[in-house]
Each structure stands twice: as structure tokens, then as C-alpha cells.
Amino acid sequence: MPTLMAEAKEQLAEPMEKLKTDVQHVVETAGKKARFVMRRGAEKAEELKHGAEREVRKHPLETAALVFAAGFLIGGFASWLTRRK
């Protein structure tokens, strides 16, 4: 019986090593792609932030009015939610 186990272990050693290598490769590739996507997302967020800052500087009064209106609407909605039964 021990020889049967030894033979099975020997026969499975090479396929298991290949499977281990393949899994490591997949994990490594997935990690690289995830880092790329995260970096790209951070770059896009930074571009969006700078674009918003530019627009606020170009149109400060309109921005203030928009923020006031949004706050007014959110406050009205919150008030409505707390008063309804």
C-alpha cells in the first residue's frame, strides 16, 4: 500500500507543480491589472477634481448659488422626511 501512495504522489508531483505555477501567474496578472485600474481611476478622479476646481474659479457666483439651492432642497427633503407619518 505505501508503494501505491508513493507512486500516486510521484505521478501527481509534476501536474501539481504546473498548477501551482499557473495559479501564481494568474494571481500575479490579476494583481498587475488591479493596480493598473486603481492607478487609472486615481488619475481620472484627480482630473475630475481639477476640472471642478477650474469651473468653480471661473463661475464662483453660480457655484455658490448652486450649492445654496442644493442645500435648500436637501434640507427641505430632510424636513419632509422627519415630519411625515
Side-chain angles (χ1 to χ4, degrees):
M1 189 73 110
T3 57
L4 181 62
M5 292 296 272
E7 285 178 31
K9 186 177 179 181
E10 186 179 311
Q11 287 179 351
L12 291 175
E14 188 177 328
M16 289 300 289
E17 193 60 38
K18 180 167 178 11
L19 178 63
K20 180 181 171 185
T21 303
D22 290 348
V23 168
Q24 285 175 339
H25 177 70
V26 167
V27 168
E28 188 177 302
T29 301
K32 286 178 183 177
K33 287 186 179 189
R35 283 189 294 276
F36 172 78
V37 168
M38 291 291 289
R39 230 181 354 262
R40 183 100 168 121
E43 290 170 0
K44 289 293 181 183
E46 193 68 26
E47 288 174 17
L48 183 63
K49 177 185 148 198
H50 289 304
E53 287 174 348
R54 248 188 331 272
E55 289 303 311
V56 168
R57 286 193 180 100
K58 278 172 53 176
H59 308 286
L61 294 177
E62 291 90 340
T63 302
L66 180 64
V67 169
F68 177 77
F72 186 78
L73 289 173
I74 291 170
F77 182 66
S79 176
W80 175 77
L81 282 177
T82 58
R83 281 194 256 150
R84 71 183 180 121
K85 293 182 182 179

